[in-house]
Amino acid sequence: PGGQGPRAAWFSFEELCGEAGHHKGLAGGGVLAAPDYLAVCRSFPVIFIKGLPQFSTTQRDEARRFVTLLDVAYEERCCLVVSSAVPPDQLFIKLLAAALKQGVNPNLGRSNKLDLASLAAQSERPQQDVSPGQRDKEDRKVL
């Protein structure tokens, strides 16, 4: 219907959950948070996000912001379409493996329990570097 404005938005992961998502107009900046995600979800019932990474141990804050975005989108019944270089069940595997190494049981609160031996073995594998061209190709896979 006329006058409602755009019904969908396209963002990079970095814009929503990374350092590029700083409030540009605020003194001191600050990354986006739940109130910002609420405003975005209320403005756009469909949101496309490209470039979702497999979270490493240096991206805990970004992972936390992404989970907050997921929570807000779910509560607002907002449709998210996300592209990533890895399948959804691999997004947090490195963070879960790091938690296991620190003695934290990553199965706490999970209905689908992880195979802890397999998780520990995965954490021992060397990380593969993905070239920007390969990452762009992989980003086209829609989750």
Side-chain angles (χ1 to χ4, degrees):
Q4 285 189 342
R7 303 303 295 157
W10 181 281
F11 297 96
S12 71
F13 170 80
E14 188 64 25
E15 289 172 316
L16 286 177
C17 302
E19 294 301 316
H22 275 104
H23 292 285
K24 292 175 177 48
L26 298 177
V31 293
L32 300 181
D36 305 302
Y37 299 141
L38 185 61
V40 169
C41 290
R42 287 183 175 169
S43 297
F44 305 104
V46 178
I47 299 173
F48 295 88
I49 304 171
K50 79 170 227 162
L52 186 64
Q54 181 179 40
F55 296 106
S56 69
T57 56
T58 62
Q59 294 174 304
R60 284 188 175 101
D61 292 336
E62 290 89 342
R64 213 176 343 262
R65 286 192 289 273
F66 180 66
V67 169
T68 299
L69 172 60
L70 290 176
D71 288 343
V72 170
Y74 177 81
E75 289 296 321
E76 291 298 311
R77 296 181 176 193
C78 181
C79 176
L80 293 181
V81 180
V82 180
S83 72
S84 176
V86 297
D89 65 338
Q90 296 294 309
L91 288 172
F92 298 95
I93 205 77
K94 292 178 183 177
L95 290 173
L96 294 171
L100 180 62
K101 279 185 174 180
Q102 294 175 354
V104 176
N105 184 349
N107 280 325
L108 294 176
R110 293 179 56 96
S111 58
N112 296 329
K113 303 299 183 194
L114 296 169
D115 176 6
L116 298 182
S118 172
L119 181 60
Q122 277 189 319
S123 71
E124 300 300 323
R125 291 184 195 153
Q127 251 184 338
Q128 293 180 353
D129 285 336
V130 179
S131 69
Q134 177 70 19
R135 185 172 294 120
D136 289 342
K137 180 180 171 187
E138 294 295 321
D139 277 344
R140 290 187 204 113
K141 293 179 184 176
V142 176
L143 302 176

